[in-house]
Amino acid sequence: MLTIDKLNELGANTAEGLQRCLNDEGFYLGLVPSALEKARYEELDQRIKAKDLDGAFETAHALKGILANLSLTPLFDVVNEITELLRSKTDTDYSGLVDKMWEQWNKFAALL
Amino acid sequence: MGTFVEQRLNLKRKVLVVDDELINRKLLSQIIGRDYEVLLAENGRKALRIIREHQETLSLILLDLLMPEMDGYELLEIIHNDLELSRIPVIVLTAEKSAEVKSLQMGAADFIPKPYDAPEVILARIGRTIELFDSNTIISATEFDSVTKLFNREFFMEYAYLHDQYYPDFEMDAYVLDINRFHLLNEMYGRAFGNDVLCHVAARLKELVKERHGVACRDSADVFFFYLPHTETPDEVYQYIEYSIRDLWQDARSHIRLGIYPKVDRSLDMNRRFDCALLACNSIRHNFTSHIAFYDAEMHEKEAFGERLISEMDTALQEKQFLVYYQPKFDITGDEPVLASAEALIRWQHPSLGMISPGQFIPLFEENGLINKLDRYVWYEAAAQIRKWRDKYGVTVPVSVNVSRIDICEPDFVYEIKRIVKDNGLRPQDYYLEVTESAYTENSDQIIEVVNELREYGFRIEMDDFGTGYSSLNMLTDLPIDVLKLDMKFVRNMHTNEKDYRIVQLIMDIAEFLDVTVVAEGVEFEEQYKLLKEADCDVIQGFYFSKPVPPEELEKFIVKED
């Protein structure tokens, strides 16, 4: 069950996210599942694995934006880190960061 | 101006949110939806469609940069380069510092960072941007002439004034540019061609003032003002502008003319300086050889004198400073000349300026429409005088009065003439109306209609100044006239110049053919009188018999006849 309290427990800054939604909890909670759509994270994962750094950057950048707006902070932090590396086209081993991303995603997705 | 109207009517403004992320679109809709009508697009291409559809009423675009199909930069460029769309402000949504700078350079009005600020901040930024663009739109709409995109008169005067403030030591020239026969260009080639000419002139003026550090505007229809640092070679200015349009109107027999007030007197109000240049420009309106005229001391004095006469006309009418003189016309068909009628002519006995010649005030009053008032004064005085003579001597001396084209166009003209005659107990045939030949040729249909009505009523119509108005011979046969008044310039030299005499004879033949009487004006010498008699002229008028005289003096001719 997705609630504000449970999101807070996972480290989301819901106060900030809610403020952007004019403190409309229902509206805010209604947006969160879209930000956790699994297919998009899988897309990022696959593009990184395929060394499609430009494509991966686009996906990461888009995810980063929505996670920031909803202030799902722990997930945002790791996606942000991936985005910045991709922006500079850093050819490195992303697997650790991708695992971390899935770890956070799983925590949030478990609430849905 | 759509946004301005919305502001005035207190309507909900439209804001377009362009973002490929549904969450971001929803978030922004939530934030601004209470204050604005929100339109949504998920990419640049779709956004452009919506923008074009709502371009008149769209107040703002919130634009994400990284999007599929058409990204924010591409859309921003399209908007920025489109004259119509560029009036819609764009706020860019971005998380990148570098993108902020780039988008501002590309014409974005502002940016909103991601993640979004507090809703209040976003709303404040949107509100401020819309307000700023509204003001700009209103200023632009009022600042520029819509056809030529030059300043309009009000803003021009303001900028010319500021120019003076910035360059207090510059000697400046005020220019007025007018296009001769512009109304004909519009009529013959259509308004679009006319506007094209105006835009070419305007484009050239823009280059000129840019090059010479001046200011320009379109004042009205085909009149432009510009203000430039003084030059001793205004011919070059003329050539510079004329060159740009020469090809455009090669068949149209048009040209531009410049009125220049050089080295303006800075103590004069800016509007006044351009009045002076305009006066110079108008002084060559009918001159097809001079294209440049300067406002100078002589023009200034003439203008001041004219202004004085105009301002004093009403008082002069009230105080009866205007005197009606009468010049007798003699019938020369018999053995002895016989008084046939007289022409009423105005004189101004000014209390301090003395006798003012009609040549000084009639053209002036004709120009600004005051002539109508003066003509009516003469009509009334002349009718009253015919009555006085009839009461005193028992004879009717018909008097002719001048009727201008402007008089005839007055809606109550016929009524007024009939009333004057009736009020004085006269018959219409006692009262002659002199209409100049040029009046017939300038607005023939209306003139002919009115004159026909008067003629049918019984008035006698004299065509004045015949031979100066370029009537075509076939037109003459249709004109409602009883008398041709032969212009004095034909009479003047007829006794010394064989050609002039032949022309007079020719006109006599035309008159005979038309079965109308001929009155010769300006007869001064016996030789002229004899020649005219020989040529079968019916009536003569001129100094040979009498100059125009006050009514009392004309009475001696009446007594003599009696």
Side-chain angles (χ1 to χ4, degrees):
Chain A
M1 172 75 179
L2 184 65
T3 64
I4 296 294
D5 288 342
K6 285 183 177 162
L7 285 170
N8 284 338
E9 279 168 24
L10 291 180
N13 185 353
T14 55
E16 195 182 80
L18 269 170
Q19 192 193 21
R20 289 192 191 99
C21 299
L22 305 176
N23 294 314
D24 182 338
E25 275 189 27
F27 179 74
Y28 174 73
L29 292 174
L31 295 180
V32 172
S34 311
L36 297 171
E37 215 175 279
K38 191 175 184 185
R40 306 188 66 173
Y41 294 85
E42 285 172 344
E43 184 184 88
L44 176 59
D45 193 347
Q46 280 158 17
R47 284 182 167 175
I48 288 172
K49 282 186 178 129
K51 299 270 183 201
D52 172 11
L53 297 191
D54 288 338
F57 170 73
E58 271 177 34
T59 312
H61 184 267
L63 279 174
K64 176 194 133 181
I66 54 178
L67 292 170
N69 274 335
L70 295 178
S71 298
L72 303 180
T73 317
L75 188 52
F76 163 79
D77 286 343
V78 62
V79 171
N80 184 37
E81 204 175 329
I82 294 172
T83 308
E84 293 315 309
L85 286 170
L86 289 170
R87 187 198 301 279
S88 55
K89 298 190 194 301
T90 310
D91 188 12
T92 180
D93 180 9
Y94 287 85
S95 59
L97 279 169
V98 171
D99 288 347
K100 230 164 121 183
M101 175 187 84
W102 281 120
E103 188 188 318
Q104 286 300 329
W105 182 84
N106 282 321
K107 285 184 192 169
F108 281 100
L111 300 178
L112 300 178
Chain B
M1 286 301 277
T3 50
F4 176 65
V5 173
E6 281 155 19
Q7 184 190 344
R8 281 298 161 105
L9 299 179
N10 213 8
L11 299 174
K12 218 171 178 184
R13 307 299 196 88
K14 277 183 199 160
V15 173
L16 171 64
V17 175
V18 192
D19 198 311
D20 57 332
E21 283 301 333
L22 178 68
I23 291 178
N24 291 344
R25 295 200 298 273
K26 280 188 173 176
L27 256 178
L28 282 170
S29 298
Q30 170 83 353
I31 293 170
I32 66 173
R34 225 176 9 202
D35 300 303
Y36 300 96
E37 184 185 332
V38 184
L39 307 173
L40 299 167
E42 65 266 25
N43 61 53
R45 201 167 303 284
K46 192 167 175 199
L48 189 59
R49 255 203 321 272
I50 295 175
I51 293 166
R52 292 208 190 279
E53 211 173 291
H54 296 267
Q55 69 179 57
E56 288 300 320
T57 53
L58 197 58
S59 291
L60 183 87
I61 300 163
L62 292 174
L63 180 65
D64 182 31
L65 291 175
L66 298 183
M67 289 181 295
E69 288 203 42
M70 181 193 283
D71 70 14
Y73 291 120
E74 197 180 336
L75 182 62
L76 196 56
E77 198 174 350
I78 292 171
I79 294 171
H80 191 58
N81 293 327
D82 184 308
L83 199 66
E84 290 299 313
L85 302 186
S86 61
R87 62 138 204 97
I88 307 169
V90 178
I91 294 181
V92 161
L93 309 165
T94 179
E96 327 299 338
K97 274 272 170 257
S98 59
E100 286 169 7
V101 177
K102 187 178 173 191
S103 50
L104 288 175
Q105 283 167 344
M106 288 179 71
D110 199 359
F111 58 85
I112 288 176
K114 283 180 180 175
Y116 300 146
D117 286 323
E120 298 76 22
V121 177
I122 293 177
L123 285 167
R125 288 183 107 134
I126 290 176
R128 231 180 71 80
T129 304
I130 291 177
E131 204 176 307
L132 197 69
F133 267 67
D134 272 0
S135 313
N136 272 346
T137 309
I138 294 161
I139 290 170
S140 302
T142 50
E143 190 176 19
F144 298 106
D145 163 53
S146 59
V147 177
T148 62
K149 309 290 179 219
L150 281 175
F151 290 127
N152 64 28
R153 186 189 172 113
E154 284 70 27
F155 277 84
F156 166 77
M157 291 298 170
E158 200 56 39
Y159 286 121
Y161 170 78
L162 284 174
H163 192 283
D164 276 1
Q165 306 305 306
Y166 279 96
Y167 306 104
D169 301 324
F170 275 29
E171 286 186 314
M172 299 296 291
D173 299 338
Y175 288 77
V176 170
L177 180 157
D178 196 331
I179 301 172
N180 260 32
R181 297 160 51 91
F182 181 72
H183 65 287
L184 287 181
L185 288 184
N186 266 341
E187 273 170 34
M188 288 161 64
Y189 301 98
R191 188 166 288 276
F193 177 78
N195 283 350
D196 203 20
V197 170
L198 294 177
C199 288
H200 270 80
V201 173
R204 199 66 172 162
L205 283 179
K206 277 180 204 165
E207 287 169 23
L208 178 75
V209 296
K210 195 174 170 191
E211 221 172 76
R212 300 196 177 210
H213 306 289
V215 198
C217 82
R218 178 179 176 217
D219 174 55
S220 58
D222 58 338
V223 179
F224 296 84
F225 289 179
F226 52 106
Y227 195 52
L228 294 180
H230 176 67
T231 172
E232 290 294 335
T233 52
D235 279 4
E236 285 175 17
V237 173
Y238 181 88
Q239 296 298 340
Y240 185 90
I241 304 163
E242 209 268 338
Y243 180 76
S244 69
I245 34 183
R246 194 176 298 157
D247 291 344
L248 207 62
W249 61 26
Q250 50 188 351
D251 302 325
R253 287 180 52 224
S254 278
H255 66 261
I256 56 167
R257 57 176 203 277
L258 289 182
I260 309 172
Y261 174 22
K263 298 185 183 177
V264 296
D265 175 355
R266 288 205 178 201
S267 68
L268 290 180
D269 168 53
M270 192 59 74
N271 277 291
R272 178 81 189 101
R273 297 177 206 173
F274 282 89
D275 285 346
C276 295
L278 185 62
L279 195 74
C281 191
N282 287 342
S283 72
I284 48 169
R285 181 184 291 277
H286 302 295
N287 184 334
F288 290 90
T289 50
S290 301
H291 296 169
I292 301 177
F294 295 91
Y295 181 79
D296 54 19
E298 191 189 333
M299 200 175 276
H300 175 73
E301 266 168 42
K302 198 176 157 199
E303 187 201 11
F305 183 68
E307 290 285 331
R308 179 172 176 186
L309 296 188
I310 288 167
S311 69
E312 292 182 3
M313 192 190 94
D314 277 337
T315 316
L317 280 171
Q318 281 160 19
E319 294 178 356
K320 291 203 174 268
Q321 292 172 17
F322 289 108
L323 307 173
V324 181
Y325 276 34
Y326 298 87
Q327 187 169 36
K329 302 180 199 176
F330 286 88
D331 184 332
I332 58 165
T333 52
D335 293 338
E336 290 294 318
V338 178
L339 177 66
S341 60
E343 180 179 358
L345 295 158
I346 190 86
R347 295 289 181 269
W348 188 345
Q349 180 63 55
H350 193 279
S352 57
L353 297 169
M355 193 64 96
I356 306 172
S357 137
Q360 284 183 284
F361 60 86
I362 286 181
L364 196 67
F365 294 165
E366 271 174 346
E367 209 169 280
N368 55 26
L370 288 172
I371 193 70
N372 191 250
K373 235 177 182 176
L374 195 61
D375 280 344
R376 287 183 183 217
Y377 175 81
V378 176
W379 300 342
Y380 191 85
E381 289 290 310
Q385 190 60 56
I386 301 172
R387 176 63 189 260
K388 272 187 213 162
W389 284 328
R390 195 177 75 189
D391 290 348
K392 193 170 172 183
Y393 298 104
V395 289
T396 298
V397 180
V399 170
S400 58
V401 294
N402 285 291
V403 171
S404 72
R405 189 177 51 83
I406 304 166
D407 294 325
I408 296 176
C409 293
E410 286 292 313
D412 65 341
F413 167 67
V414 174
Y415 169 82
E416 194 60 18
I417 287 282
K418 287 181 181 174
R419 187 186 69 81
I420 288 171
V421 169
K422 207 171 154 196
D423 283 358
N424 287 283
L426 306 177
R427 299 168 307 162
Q429 54 266 41
D430 301 335
Y431 201 70
Y432 301 169
L433 304 174
E434 292 194 12
V435 183
T436 59
E437 185 191 7
S438 57
Y440 283 99
T441 45
E442 277 168 26
N443 192 3
S444 55
D445 287 350
Q446 190 187 359
I447 305 280
I448 290 172
E449 193 183 317
V450 174
V451 170
N452 262 331
E453 188 184 343
L454 290 167
R455 199 159 170 253
E456 278 164 23
Y457 189 73
F459 287 102
R460 205 165 93 136
I461 310 296
E462 306 196 337
M463 184 191 263
D464 203 5
D465 304 333
F466 180 69
T468 61
Y470 312 106
S471 299
S472 62
L473 290 177
N474 67 343
M475 181 186 161
L476 270 179
T477 57
D478 298 328
L479 292 180
I481 48 168
D482 303 286
V483 175
L484 280 185
K485 285 195 81 179
L486 182 58
D487 192 69
M488 58 178 73
K489 78 175 181 195
F490 295 111
V491 176
R492 192 178 296 139
N493 300 318
M494 62 181 286
H495 57 299
T496 53
N497 184 325
E498 175 67 15
K499 259 192 195 163
D500 279 3
Y501 181 59
R502 293 298 298 274
I503 286 178
V504 170
Q505 283 180 315
L506 195 67
I507 294 172
M508 293 300 166
D509 287 344
I510 293 170
E512 193 185 355
F513 169 73
L514 295 172
D515 196 21
V516 298
T517 305
V518 174
V519 176
E521 283 186 283
V523 181
E524 293 183 24
F525 307 111
E526 192 171 6
E527 299 98 297
Q528 293 168 329
Y529 161 59
K530 282 182 177 165
L531 284 172
L532 284 164
K533 192 167 167 57
E534 210 173 280
D536 292 329
C537 179
D538 307 291
V539 177
I540 63 173
Q541 175 185 349
F543 280 33
Y544 175 63
F545 286 114
S546 169
K547 62 182 182 181
V549 292
E552 316 78 67
E553 277 188 48
L554 192 104
E555 288 175 12
K556 70 181 180 205
F557 296 106
I558 302 174
V559 172
K560 201 174 151 193
E561 295 294 323
D562 225 12

